[in-house]
Structures are given as structure tokens and as C-alpha cells.
Amino acid sequence: MADSRPNILFIMSDDHASHAMSCYGSRINRTPNLDRIAADGMRYDHCFCTNSICTPSRAAILSGTYNHVNGVTTLATPMDNRLRTFPKLLQSAGYQTAVFGKWHLGQGPRHCPTGFDDWAVLPGQGCYHNPAFVFKDDAEPGGVKRTVHGYATDLITDMSLDWLRHRDADRPFCLLCHHKAPHRPWYPDEKHAALFLNEDVPGPDTLFDDYAHRAQAAQAAAMRVGVHMNPTDVKAEIPDGMSEHDLRRWAYQRYIKDYLRVVQSIDDNVGRMLDALDQAGLSENTLVVYTSDQGFFLGDHGWYDKRFMYEESLRMPFILRYPKEAAAGSVNEDIVLNVDFPALFLDLADIPVPADFQGRSLRPLLRGETPPDWRRAMYYRYWMNKAHHNVAAHYGVRTKTHKLVYYYYDGCGQPGADEGHFAGRGGVASLDGLPPEWELFDLEQDPAELRNVYDEPAYAAVREELRGILHSLQDELGDEPFPGERESARPDGHRGRMS
Ligand SMILES: [Ca+2]
């Protein structure tokens, strides 16, 4: 008898911000095929990553744990592939499993994909054009590298579709289709190269942010569009003699168009996947997920890149289609996290979620039934102090209405942290020796996060409440606070551990 457990198609891109998807109200592009998933299923408006860079977010998704637990805190901490992950649990329970595309959790026998019947992954970040892939090979434990002719987004889709065609139709599958796009350096394919050619893409309201009323960390970040970009980012020589303002305006058009062009190829290829499911009669019994490992600044705050706990970077697009349980066109407002994804997949496959997974199954949310004890706050930590774009290490919490962030300017001995040296154009302030700083944002009054109200007397109660939430989440999740933070002085002069 055929196994009727649902199939799982997990499509994840790299650095695709939700504000570059029309189902999330993008002002700058249209994504008709991604919109099909949202229209036929559920859109999540408060999905967040727990650490906004590639390798850590991917490890959190596979293992269902925060980075202080799975050890993948930075880009220099490849994932130990003996870790228990959801594909392994699905595979042992009879699922056919595969991953194609970006892996970025390390290479070689100790870090290559495990728990998959088949895989082919890009080494490191991979290339857009004629990329090398490392293919699963029974004779070579770390796989075998081979260059493939074509465009990465098309090739990853081709491999995924080919695997689907050759699967055993009597058993359910879990297929991870991981696009490299739209990660920097944004090389479009020929088909989309001329998009937006003779038009200007509207810039965000905060393109010319001056970083006033924020922690030093914002002013010091070396990720400003224009002055902190290289010729590859803009596919041209950086013009001399332009003011920083004019350079930002020019560079924004250059990079955002390429970003949107590579997004358009993802959208086309997601369309191919959805059509293939329809043609094979699989759409009814397949959970389709589209997400990205984290968000991205699309000129917001004058920046590109991610890492910060600010909204554009923290937020993940997360849309799913599962006609059996999620109503078409539904929207969920609960706080959901990357560590929740594996619990949902196991739940749908009727596999018990291991007790040490730190996320929670979203399945009741699919049906519109949010449990009364669903989380009201999430915990975030970025560890890679200084290493890239001079971004400071920080942790914090976000509720539906507020966000509290603590910049502690210290690598805490994490691999890859504190090794930064920014030598580009446009100097930035050093993070060395800065005392820790707090930021508090009122997201209802100030959704763009332009005014830090941490020291404002009117917010004293909120501030103390959020510090309490921060500490209880750290205790619950088993993370160590930065030394001295809990004892640090409050603005009203009181000292002492928060309850
Ligand atoms: Ca990424």
C-alpha cells in the first residue's frame, strides 16, 4: 500500500528579503510565482532568523537549535554533520531525501551533507555562471567536485526536478532546493539582464539615514551602499569625485537592479517547480515552503547586507502551501522562527519531535489555531564581532511591539570574530574599546527603527520588562549573557540583577 504521508518541498534562497516579494507588498518588483504559494496557502508576517548570516541560519533550520547549542555561531564554524537533523529523522522514517544547491555548512567528510539519499551542493558560496558542484559519491566520503555548464538557479531547479522524476512514487519525499541567488555579487542570467534597464527603481525611505539616535554600531557599520561597495558590486568602476550622497543614489540603482534580476530567475524557477508538482498530481499532498536564510537591507538605512537585528535583516520571508491544512490566502501574525521549521516537518510526517529541538511545530498555526501559550518574544544573537562590514556583536529580544538590543562589541573568542579589518573607501569608526550600548525601539510608533528610546523616562517600564524577557529567554534557551550585562547600571541609577 502506498505511503500517504505528505511530501515536503523546501525551497530556500540566500539573502532574499521579503520586501522584494510582491506577496509581501514589494514596491520594487513583482514575483508572480512566489505569490502563487502565498495565494494558495499561508503567509507569515513575523518570521525571524535567530542569527542573520548564512551558515548559522542554515544550521538552525536543519537542527532545530540555536547557534550556542549547535556550535555554528559564525561563518568560520562549519556544522558537524553528525548532528541530528530533520532530514536524517525523515530518512530513517522512510522518506526519500535530497538536497541540491547551496549548503555552506562546510566541506569534506565531516561537514558535507548527511541524511540525504542524493545531494549536489555548491562549494562555499558557489558561482552564478557555470558553477562547480560537489556531488554525492559512494566511493568518496566528501563527494566529488565537477563543473556544470549553465546558470546556478536553473541548474539547481533542473537537478531537483530530475530527482523528483526518478524517485520511488510509493514513498514520500523531502526535497531541499537551496538557491544560491540572490546572494552577492548578484550576477543575472541573460534572460533577465535587461530588466529595469531604462527605469529607476524607487529607493527606500531610509536610503539617506544619518544614524542619529542609534547606538555607535549603526554609524560604524561599513555596509553603506556606494562608499562601502567594490566594482564587482556595481559591475562598474566606482566614479571618483562624487559626494557620498550622489554615490549612494547611483550605486543603489546599480546593485538593486542586479539583485532584482537574480530574484526574477528564482521566481521563474519556482514556477517551474510548482508546475511540475501540478503535472505529477503532487500538489495536494505536498507541503511547499519558500523562505530565505535571512533578510537583507535593500538600501534601507543606506545599507546592503544583513547581520543586524534591525527588521530588514531579521525578518525572513516564509510562505507555505499545504491545501489539506492551510487555508488559501491566509496570513499569520505570530512570532515564528527558523528553529521552528524542522518541528513542523516532523509533525506533518508523524515523527515525534526530539525533546532537545528548541523550536515548536507550526502545525496548529497552519490551521489558524494559535496555541494560547505561543511565544510572545524571540531571542537573537549575532556573534561575529567586527569580522565583516565592521558589524558589532549583539543580542536582543523582539516582541510584537518592541525590540531591545544589546551591543557588547566583543567577539567572545568565537572563531572568525574580531578578525575584521575594514580597509575600503569611506572610513568608519573603530569598535575597539567601545562600552556596551543598548537600543530600544517602539515598533508601533517607529517601525523604521530610527529613534532609540532606551534612555527615555517614558519607556522605563517597557525597558525593564524587555530586559526581564531577555534574561528569561537566555536562561530558558541555555545561552550565556555577556559578562557584566545583567549587573550593568540601569539609566535610573539602580544596579542589580533583574528579576
Ligand atoms: Ca544568506
Side-chain angles (χ1 to χ4, degrees):
M1 199 178 81
D3 188 332
S4 64
R5 289 178 294 176
N7 305 303
I8 298 164
L9 170 58
F10 179 77
I11 308 173
M12 178 162 67
S13 57
D14 191 356
D15 295 8
H16 187 184
S18 56
H19 50 313
M21 288 168 65
S22 35
C23 54
Y24 278 100
S26 168
R27 300 187 307 160
I28 55 174
N29 68 333
R30 313 305 303 160
T31 48
N33 290 299
L34 295 172
D35 294 1
R36 282 163 70 185
I37 300 175
D40 294 342
M42 184 171 255
R43 185 189 83 207
Y44 291 76
D45 281 358
H46 292 91
C47 181
F48 304 117
C49 62
T50 47
N51 182 355
S52 185
I53 35 174
C54 301
T55 309
S57 182
R58 286 153 194 270
I61 289 168
L62 286 170
S63 71
T65 55
Y66 287 77
N67 299 134
H68 60 271
V69 171
N70 60 46
V72 187
T73 50
T74 71
L75 299 180
T77 49
M79 188 178 84
D80 185 325
N81 61 15
R82 290 168 295 189
L83 212 60
R84 185 167 47 186
T85 60
F86 80 82
K88 285 183 194 174
L89 293 165
L90 289 168
Q91 188 186 44
S92 346
Y95 270 67
Q96 298 164 85
T97 57
V99 59
F100 299 103
K102 177 154 168 176
W103 179 247
H104 205 192
L105 288 159
Q107 290 167 241
R110 184 56 73 225
H111 306 295
C112 68
T114 50
F116 298 99
D117 302 336
D118 196 9
W119 53 268
V121 296
L122 300 164
Q125 294 285 4
C127 295
Y128 277 104
H129 289 283
N130 303 325
F133 281 85
V134 182
F135 290 85
K136 181 174 189 274
D137 189 298
D138 291 337
E140 282 294 328
V144 171
K145 198 194 281 193
R146 201 163 70 235
T147 298
V148 186
H149 184 77
Y151 187 65
T153 311
D154 297 333
L155 294 172
I156 292 162
T157 307
D158 292 345
M159 288 176 185
S160 300
L161 290 175
D162 193 52
W163 183 82
L164 273 183
R165 272 190 295 271
H166 292 99
R167 79 192 195 284
D168 171 1
D170 291 332
R171 287 194 295 138
F173 66 83
C174 173
L175 170 59
L176 277 52
C177 174
H178 286 186
H179 289 298
K180 179 221 167 22
H183 192 283
R184 200 182 182 195
W186 318 298
Y187 282 114
D189 61 350
E190 233 175 284
K191 181 180 172 194
H192 302 96
L195 281 176
F196 308 102
L197 203 56
N198 296 310
E199 57 187 285
D200 270 358
V201 177
D205 295 339
T206 58
L207 184 60
F208 299 102
D209 194 350
D210 63 1
Y211 315 110
H213 313 293
R214 250 70 49 81
Q216 290 296 308
Q219 183 80 40
M223 48 197 239
R224 295 185 199 168
V225 173
V227 72
H228 295 143
M229 283 178 155
N230 62 44
T232 305
D233 293 326
V234 291
K235 318 294 184 294
E237 286 305 313
I238 310 271
D240 274 330
M242 259 191 203
S243 68
E244 182 169 345
H245 186 278
D246 289 349
L247 184 59
R248 184 166 307 171
R249 192 190 297 280
W250 174 84
Y252 172 74
Q253 293 298 328
R254 300 286 310 177
Y255 102 95
I256 202 71
K257 288 179 182 179
D258 278 337
Y259 180 94
L260 296 176
R261 288 164 182 149
V262 301
V263 163
Q264 221 55 44
S265 170
I266 295 177
D267 189 68
D268 287 2
N269 277 292
V270 168
R272 290 174 64 207
M273 299 288 288
L274 297 178
D275 290 346
L277 291 182
D278 283 346
Q279 284 153 17
L282 290 168
S283 294
E284 198 60 29
N285 197 35
T286 300
L287 169 76
V288 179
V289 169
Y290 181 82
T291 188
S292 167
D293 56 354
Q294 79 281 314
F296 205 73
F297 295 105
L298 305 178
D300 313 281
H301 300 291
W303 289 330
Y304 64 106
D305 210 71
K306 56 258 182 177
R307 299 166 210 279
F308 277 105
M309 201 186 163
Y310 296 120
E311 288 295 277
E312 297 84 355
S313 155
L314 178 69
R315 197 178 283 277
M316 302 168 78
F318 188 69
I319 50 178
L320 60 80
R321 184 182 79 182
Y322 186 52
K324 287 183 173 171
E325 299 191 18
S330 50
V331 174
N332 178 279
E333 297 286 347
D334 299 310
I335 294 178
V336 305
L337 304 174
N338 54 359
V339 291
D340 294 330
F341 302 172
L344 168 64
F345 304 152
L346 297 176
D347 193 353
L348 285 174
D350 227 358
I351 299 168
V353 179
D356 54 358
F357 274 33
Q358 295 178 298
R360 190 167 171 184
S361 172
L362 307 173
R363 195 169 184 180
L365 278 50
L366 262 60
R367 298 190 298 254
E369 297 160 5
T370 304
D373 63 345
W374 193 260
R375 74 168 69 79
R376 292 168 195 278
M378 60 83 60
Y379 178 61
Y380 179 88
R381 187 162 189 171
Y382 177 73
W383 299 81
M384 215 168 176
N385 193 53
K386 245 170 65 172
H388 294 114
H389 301 286
N390 205 41
V391 174
H394 55 289
Y395 56 62
V397 285
R398 189 200 191 282
T399 65
K400 292 289 273 293
T401 55
H402 293 85
K403 184 185 292 178
L404 179 74
V405 188
Y406 182 70
Y407 295 97
Y408 53 90
Y409 302 114
D410 192 307
C412 298
Q414 295 297 313
D418 279 336
E419 289 169 5
H421 53 281
F422 180 73
R425 301 151 61 104
V428 288
S430 169
L431 301 176
D432 295 340
L434 284 179
E437 282 179 277
W438 292 94
E439 280 181 339
L440 174 64
F441 295 105
D442 181 336
L443 300 173
E444 287 180 321
Q445 299 296 319
D446 176 28
E449 301 170 303
L450 297 173
R451 185 178 178 83
N452 175 15
V453 296
Y454 187 81
D455 290 330
E456 293 190 11
Y459 285 91
V462 175
R463 181 181 70 223
E464 296 314 312
E465 186 195 348
L466 263 79
R467 282 190 68 170
I469 293 172
L470 170 67
H471 299 152
S472 48
L473 276 178
Q474 283 179 326
D475 291 345
E476 183 188 313
L477 299 167
D479 196 15
E480 292 281 321
F482 185 70
E485 180 261 297
R486 294 196 183 184
E487 295 74 33
S488 63
R490 286 179 269 162
D492 55 10
H494 291 284
R495 284 183 174 272
R497 192 184 168 91
M498 300 304 306
S499 55

